[in-house]
């Protein structure tokens, strides 16, 4: 039956050629074929098509030459089979963002206050002129002023609108930037295909059905395909199936290759059969509704959670774990909230800074709330006691509206105090600072994938770096060789080597290497030849060319199809072997690999006559001493070439590798040089000065590693640092059962500088050990560089993972936080500089903001209590808020970094955000500003000889007196903003101010706006114009800030022991025991309060992992899974970093519903017990 159908279809589709584009099989058929696995797939392939070759024929492509690359043909294929592109989710519109910005609690309170105020101003009570209502009636009718009562409410509303628009615009530009970054990452991803017989790299989006793609170790497959030819190919399909075992792919057993899976071993070629939304990945996306706009409906029907098995795959990004569902609408987030009550899940704290900021914001918010409540209570009590108690007036019904108007005024004053106290500029400052840095880091060859990585990098205390390509140039050349009992210190003359040995070397190198590795002519005249593919293999191919031989001719003679069996290189084997079948029926195997590994398997060696002679253990030891160690001590990598012949009588068992890879004959040993990058020693010195320890973790021989480490300056002569091999390292840190003991590790890592011959697990163990270690005064923050697939676990575990943009495999890039687009160690130093700069920018902003907060709150509070009216009106406060928040965050968050940032030690995880020096500056400046303002408030009218503005009746016109107070206040802030540029007590606050045009324009712009507000603001801003001399006084007092700043600098911080620091990191002790499952380092207290706008940043960078996680759910049925999740929160949380979208509420929220509690409770509160999901503190 199947046969029947199969035979029928292709004919059918060709007959209807008009819409199927004359291809021998339709999209649907191919899609159905790709849904099958292993034996089933092979059977269907053979029944329907005969073989893979026939599939190629029907798709009009050649398995060897590939497509012609003719544009019309490619276009036709796109029309018939679709493009290799999965459409992204629609971006949020500006209006949606405005609506989100309006959700802010403080703004809502202000809006209500403004509307009530507006309503009351239009309501004129009949008994308004009644004398009995007391002084309240006094100023109401002056000069028709009552008409202007609405202005205050309107002005508040207007300023709310401004704040909302600014926030929404910021979020919108962030989303835009983020999408730009996304598309850049997508464009950078290229894949190797064969077209017109040429191997070329094209962007993934340009791959079409029928393309012949070359796949190799470390690739992330971009489309579905069928294997044409493969060597020892193993694929990690866990992202699709959830099974962690690697799947062997071969033509006989399982030729189906699926998009989104990782090549873990081997290489091969495949014909692409499905792309974009028709590939397995794309189908899942369509199920999720990513391509369509119907997610909302789906989400309402009931959300399905992704499979927990794979949750640990995706890394918590910026505290908000969004890659698990980048495909959900806002309702999804709301739904998530409900679920969060049921599953209490700890999260790994990613961002050190976010945790500190959140705790700080919560503390400040509480203080503000208390202050504003007290203000309102005092004002109301004072008024009531004064009116009804002291003056003994009866409460008359017709006076009620007037009294209510007073109460509304008090309420507005209270809200004003709260508005000023809550630093809503913080999220903005963080976002602007990070976004600005990320943009600029692009220029420094750092492609940041996870926003918070750039700030974490500033705290880094250790860097574990690869050697090849990061510290060295990754341009390998053979410089020494040992052939036929002779050690050549430079490349030997071809005549000096016997023809039969030369033949073995040429074949051994040309055939036993990936055919994708080759040497191309230089791009520029007189340049170096280009090395394509594996650099070590390129060095050996270069050696063949230096011996005046041609490797390509050998490869043409023995194409890849003729290779009988290939054992590809992997981190366990550390060698590669290729088997050929001889015409006589026997087999010959060529091997190459690390010299100490291959030599152990050699029993013979070719002598000077080119004949094999016995090679004993003592011969080997002698060779290691005389040849290999001297090469290694010059920093050379040693590679051994060997071969073995198998007789024709019986075919060996190719699967028992240990037997096959034994009894070899050594042909030659070569020393490969990989020169240290010239700029690296200097960069490492900078790191050491900055208090960052650089460690080298490499797969190379220990002598080579030591030589390179000394050249780089990682090892300094005369210091007792450790250099260990992987085996020795494991022996020292593991107990009898083979488990890693943290105490043992703690004895080793502080002195360890070089780890040689290390396996990927060693790297992971080391990184994990350093991060988890609690010895020393501060916990370590570790950055790791990696390029291979096997570095994935270490890159994920590290606080910041750097992947190599050029040499890195897709898997490594997927696991990393930052991609180094030039593979250069100096770019890491730049990342450290930017990271520290972000941290400092935020501290600068805090120092400025908190000074304004302290002053404004105290002024509003005391002024209101003594004079029944805040000296700074609500609208003026909002203007000050706008300056401090939006503009100051713009100005201070965009300071460019300078080299001096690298001269101090890293802050580490638990250093507070606000140091003693900053606390001294904040309080010092607050004292100056308060002294001035209170002097002006209570004695200003005498000093300037003007009318007093105190005790003005309701709706009276603005006075010069209060205008001067307001103007002076703003001037002091402006000059203090210049002071805030330095946070470590430096004297020269103007240093390189011209390097930051944004700062200069913000300060000048604010100044100009202030002049306009004072002179033309009138009633809405409660301002009246000032004379020139009054202006000069205001500016003079402002300049006094700079002089006062110099005075503060002279007070040594060490004497001010009483000053507290604020904004600590979370310490281990503050987290209750039961909340610390084994594999979760810290609980992120930042996630609860992250801003909605920021979420946009994190959406979708790790697309492929996302979709995969969902598949498992579809296969197992989500309902049972959700139930399980709810029933066993503790188990789930211990075994997986299960993620959920944290509630993106505003920072201030957490402060609103809580009483002040101790910091320990504040720390515990952010991981709320079940049932309390918004992150507020639970006393």
């Amino acid at each position: 039956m199947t046969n029947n159908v199969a035979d029928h279809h292709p004919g059918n589709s060709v007959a209807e050629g008009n819409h199927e584009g004359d291809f021998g099989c339709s999209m649907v058929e191919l899609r159905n074929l790709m849904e099958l696995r292993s034996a089933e797939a092979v059977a269907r392939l053979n029944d329907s098509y005969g073989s893979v070759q026939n599939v190629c024929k029907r798709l009009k492509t050649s398995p060897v030459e590939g497509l012609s690359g003719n544009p019309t043909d490619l276009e036709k294929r796109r029309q018939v089979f679709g493009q290799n592109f999965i459409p992204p989710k629609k971006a949020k519109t500006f209006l949606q963002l405005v609506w989100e910005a309006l959700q802010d609690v403080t703004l809502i309170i202000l809006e209500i206050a403004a509307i009530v105020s507006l309503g009351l101003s239009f309501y004129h009570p009949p008994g308004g002129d009644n004398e009995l209502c007391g002084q309240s009636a006094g100023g109401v009718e002056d000069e028709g002023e009552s008409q202007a009562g609405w202005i205050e409410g309107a002005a508040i509303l207007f300023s709310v609108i401004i704040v909302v628009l600014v926030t929404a615009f910021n979020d919108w530009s962030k989303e835009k930037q983020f999408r730009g970054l996304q598309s850049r990452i997508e464009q950078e991803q290229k894949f190797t295909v064969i077209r017109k017989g040429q191997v070329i790299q094209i962007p993934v989006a340009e791959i079409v059905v029928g393309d012949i793609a070359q796949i190799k170790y470390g690739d992330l497959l971009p489309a579905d395909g069928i294997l044409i030819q493969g060597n020892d190919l193993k694929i990690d399909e866990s992202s699709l199936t959830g099974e962690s075992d690697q799947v062997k792919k071969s033509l006989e057993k399982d030729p189906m290759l699926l998009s989104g899976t990782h090549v873990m071993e081997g290489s091969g070629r495949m014909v692409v059969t499905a792309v974009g939304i028709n590939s397995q990945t794309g189908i899942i996306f369509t199920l999720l509704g990513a391509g369509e706009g119907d997610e909302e409906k789906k989400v309402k029907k009931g959300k399905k959670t992704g499979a927990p098995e794979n949750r640990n795959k995706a890394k918590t990004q910026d505290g908000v774990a969004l890659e698990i569902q980048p495909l959900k609408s806002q309702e999804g987030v709301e739904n998530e909230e409900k679920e969060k009550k049921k599953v209490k899940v700890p999260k790994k704290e990613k961002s050190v800074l976010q945790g500190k900021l959140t705790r700080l914001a919560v503390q400040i918010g509480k203080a503000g709330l208390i202050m504003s409540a007290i203000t309102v209570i005092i004002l109301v009590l004072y008024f009531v006691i004064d009116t009804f108690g002291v003056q003994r007036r009866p409460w008359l019904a017709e006076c009620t509206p007037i009294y209510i108007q007073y109460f509304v005024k008090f309420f507005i004053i209270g809200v004003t105090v709260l508005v000023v106290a809550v630093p809503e500029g913080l999220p903005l400052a963080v976002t602007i600072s990070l976004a600005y840095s990320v943009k600029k880091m692009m220029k420094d060859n750092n492609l940041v994938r996870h926003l918070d990585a750039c700030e974490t990098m500033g705290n880094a205390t250790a860097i574990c770096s690869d050697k090849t390509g990061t510290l060295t140039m990754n341009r390998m050349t053979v410089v020494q060789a040992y052939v036929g009992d002779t050690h050549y210190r430079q490349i030997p003359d071809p005549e000096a080597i016997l023809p039969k040995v030369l033949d073995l070397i040429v074949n051994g190198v040309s055939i036993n290497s990936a055919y994708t590795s080759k040497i191309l002519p230089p791009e520029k005249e007189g340049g170096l030849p280009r090395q394509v593919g594996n650099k070590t293999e390129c060095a050996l191919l270069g050696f063949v060319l230096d011996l005046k031989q041609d490797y390509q001719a050998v490869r043409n003679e023995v194409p890849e199809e003729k290779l009988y069996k290939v054992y590809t290189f992997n981190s366990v084997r550390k060698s590669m072997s290729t088997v050929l079948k001889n015409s006589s029926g026997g087999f010959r195997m060529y091997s190459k690999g690390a010299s100490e590994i291959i030599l152990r398997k050699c029993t013979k060696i070719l002598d000077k006559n080119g004949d094999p002679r016995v090679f004993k253990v003592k011969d080997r030891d002698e060779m290691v001493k005389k040849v290999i160690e001297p090469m290694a001590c010059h920093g050379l990598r040693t590679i051994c070439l060997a071969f073995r012949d198998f007789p024709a009588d019986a075919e060996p068992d190719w699967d028992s590798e240990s037997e096959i890879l034994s009894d070899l004959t050594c042909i030659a040993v070569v020393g490969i040089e990989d020169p240290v990058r010239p700029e690296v020693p200097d960069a490492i010195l900078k790191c050491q000065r900055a208090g960052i320890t650089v460690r080298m973790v490499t797969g190379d021989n220990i002598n080579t590693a030591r030589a390179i480490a000394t050249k780089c300056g990682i090892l300094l002569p005369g210091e007792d640092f450790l250099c260990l091999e992987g085996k020795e390292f494991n022996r020292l840190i593991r107990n009898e059962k083979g488990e890693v003991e943290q105490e043992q590790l703690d004895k080793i890592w502080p002195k360890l500088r070089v780890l040689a011959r290390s396996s990927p697990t060693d790297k992971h163990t080391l990184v994990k050990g350093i991060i988890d270690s609690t010895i020393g005064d501060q916990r370590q923050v570790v950055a790791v560089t990696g390029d291979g697939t096997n570095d994935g676990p270490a890159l994920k575990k590290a606080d910041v993972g750097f992947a190599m943009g050029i040499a890195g495999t897709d898997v490594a890039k997927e696991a990393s936080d930052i991609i180094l687009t030039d593979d250069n160690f100096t770019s890491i130093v730049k990342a450290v500089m930017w990271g520290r700069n972000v941290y400092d920018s935020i501290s600068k902003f805090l120092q400025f903001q908190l000074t304004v907060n302290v002053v404004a709150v105290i002024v509003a509070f005391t002024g209101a209590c003594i004079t029944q009216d805040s000296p700074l009106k609500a609208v003026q406060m909002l203007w000050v808020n706008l300056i401090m928040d939006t503009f100051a965050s713009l100005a201070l968050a965009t300071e460019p970094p300078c080299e001096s940032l690298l001269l101090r030690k890293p802050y580490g995880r638990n250093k507070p955000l606000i140091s003693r020096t900053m606390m001294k500056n904040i309080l010092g400046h607050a004292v100056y500003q308060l002294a001035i303002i209170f002097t002006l408030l209570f004695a200003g009218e005498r000093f300037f000889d003007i009318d007093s503005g105190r005790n003005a009746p309701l709706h009276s016109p603005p006075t010069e007196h209060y205008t001067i107070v307001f103007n002076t206040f703003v001037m002091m802030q402006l000059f203090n903003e210049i002071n805030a540029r330095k946070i470590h007590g430096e004297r020269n606050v103007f240093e390189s101010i011209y390097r930051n045009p944004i700062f200069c324009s913000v300060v000048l712009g604010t100044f100009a706006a202030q002049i306009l507000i004072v002179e033309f603001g009138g009633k809405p801003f409660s301002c009246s114009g000032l004379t020139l001399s009054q202006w000069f006084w205001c500016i003079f007092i402002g300049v006094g800030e700079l002089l006062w700043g110099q005075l503060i600098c002279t007070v040594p911080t060490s004497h001010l022991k009483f000053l507290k620091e604020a904004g600590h990191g979370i310490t281990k002790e503050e987290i209750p025991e039961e909340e610390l499952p084994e594999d979760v380092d810290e609980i992120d207290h930042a996630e609860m309060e992250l801003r909605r706008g920021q979420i946009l940043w994190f959406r979708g960078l790790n697309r492929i992992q996302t979709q995969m996680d969902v598949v498992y759910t579809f296969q197992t049925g989500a309902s049972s899974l959700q139930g399980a999740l709810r029933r066993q929160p503790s188990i789930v949380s211990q075994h997986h970093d299960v993620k959920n979208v944290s509630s993106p509420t505003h920072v201030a929220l957490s402060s609103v519903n809580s009483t002040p509690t101790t910091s320990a409770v504040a720390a515990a509160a952010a991981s709320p017990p079940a049932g309390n999901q918004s992150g507020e503190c639970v006393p």
Side-chain angles (χ1 to χ4, degrees), residues 703-838:
N703 296 332
T704 311
R706 196 181 280 128
I708 300 261
T710 315
K711 282 184 194 166
C712 293
I714 293 176
L715 292 175
L716 302 170
E719 300 199 13
D720 66 330
F721 289 141
L722 284 176
C723 293
L724 292 178
E725 284 203 340
K727 277 200 183 124
E728 178 67 2
F729 172 69
N730 277 312
R731 197 179 59 73
L732 291 170
I733 62 166
R734 293 181 188 272
N735 57 19
E736 307 78 75
K737 293 183 194 152
E739 294 156 353
V740 177
E741 297 251 340
Q742 187 69 40
E743 294 112 64
Q744 304 294 93
L745 226 168
D746 286 346
K747 289 180 194 154
I748 291 173
W749 72 257
K751 283 197 173 170
L752 183 69
R753 288 296 177 275
V754 175
L755 186 56
R757 281 279 173 251
S758 67
S759 67
T761 36
D762 295 341
K763 192 174 191 175
H764 181 257
T765 308
L766 177 67
V767 172
K768 184 175 186 309
I770 298 180
I771 292 178
D772 293 349
S773 173
T774 46
I775 56 169
D777 46 357
Q778 58 169 342
R779 302 213 10 244
Q780 299 278 313
V781 176
V782 184
V784 168
T785 70
D787 52 7
T789 306
N790 46 22
D791 292 329
L795 287 170
K796 274 212 170 113
K797 178 67 196 164
D799 293 290
V800 182
F802 285 92
M804 301 299 142
I806 305 166
T809 58
D810 294 344
V811 183
K813 290 178 189 172
E814 194 76 15
S816 68
D817 301 292
I818 297 179
I819 296 173
L820 295 179
T821 50
D822 63 346
D823 288 16
N824 194 335
F825 189 82
T826 41
S827 305
I828 298 178
V829 181
K830 297 235 179 73
V832 171
M833 204 155 79
W834 275 107
R836 291 187 172 189
N837 191 51
V838 168

Side-chain angles (χ1 to χ4, degrees), residues 1018-1139:
K1019 182 74 185 167
F1021 278 97
S1022 315
C1023 287
S1024 72
L1026 301 180
T1027 63
L1028 205 56
S1029 71
Q1030 287 167 341
W1031 263 105
F1032 275 125
W1033 272 109
C1034 294
I1035 294 173
F1036 171 71
I1037 294 171
V1039 174
E1041 267 288 355
L1042 294 174
L1043 304 172
W1044 182 254
Q1046 293 302 314
L1047 191 69
I1048 294 177
C1049 278
T1050 46
V1051 180
T1053 314
S1054 50
H1055 291 183
L1056 305 171
K1057 287 275 182 273
F1058 60 88
L1059 285 183
K1060 279 274 190 292
E1061 302 156 324
H1064 288 266
I1066 314 296
T1067 51
K1068 274 276 206 265
E1069 296 75 73
E1070 293 183 23
I1071 302 173
E1073 272 306 293
E1074 70 276 5
E1075 289 179 12
L1076 270 181
E1078 304 85 277
D1079 59 340
V1080 180
D1081 303 339
E1082 288 194 9
I1083 290 166
D1084 192 342
H1085 296 276
E1087 301 190 338
M1088 308 297 174
E1089 276 109 352
L1090 254 179
R1091 198 55 179 277
R1092 257 175 213 190
Q1094 276 165 305
I1095 285 196
L1096 300 169
W1097 257 108
F1098 321 133
R1099 202 155 264 175
L1101 269 172
N1102 281 11
R1103 275 206 176 163
I1104 292 198
Q1105 290 183 340
T1106 320
Q1107 330 142 352
M1108 304 317 168
D1109 290 23
V1110 180
V1111 179
Y1112 190 68
T1113 320
F1114 284 118
Q1115 292 173 343
T1116 52
S1119 49
S1120 58
L1121 224 166
Q1122 262 178 334
L1125 265 178
R1126 287 175 198 151
R1127 281 196 299 281
Q1128 303 166 297
S1130 55
I1131 297 172
V1132 175
S1133 64
Q1134 279 181 15
H1135 293 283
H1136 317 291
D1137 265 349
V1138 179
K1139 307 202 168 135

Side-chain angles (χ1 to χ4, degrees), residues 347-374:
K347 299 183 203 80
K348 175 164 175 269
E349 172 164 348
K350 256 316 269 177
S351 169
V352 183
L353 182 69
Q354 281 294 5
K356 294 180 183 180
L357 277 178
T358 306
R359 299 188 73 191
L360 195 69
V362 171
Q363 288 159 2
I364 297 172
K366 281 184 201 161
L369 192 69
I370 295 163
M371 289 294 271
S372 62
I374 295 175

Side-chain angles (χ1 to χ4, degrees), residues 966-991:
F966 166 57
N967 199 21
T968 311
F969 181 63
V970 172
M971 286 304 131
M972 290 195 292
Q973 300 324 323
L974 269 185
F975 286 98
N976 195 29
E977 195 166 336
I978 299 174
N979 275 331
R981 290 185 68 241
K982 299 291 173 211
I983 50 174
H984 296 300
E986 300 92 331
R987 285 198 173 277
N988 180 7
V989 290
F990 290 102
E991 184 191 351

Side-chain angles (χ1 to χ4, degrees), residues 211-231:
D211 256 326
I212 305 295
Q214 285 201 341
I215 53 176
K216 60 179 187 312
Y217 157 79
D219 281 343
L220 179 67
L221 299 184
D224 292 355
I226 303 175
L227 190 66
I228 299 177
Q229 174 267 322
N231 304 324

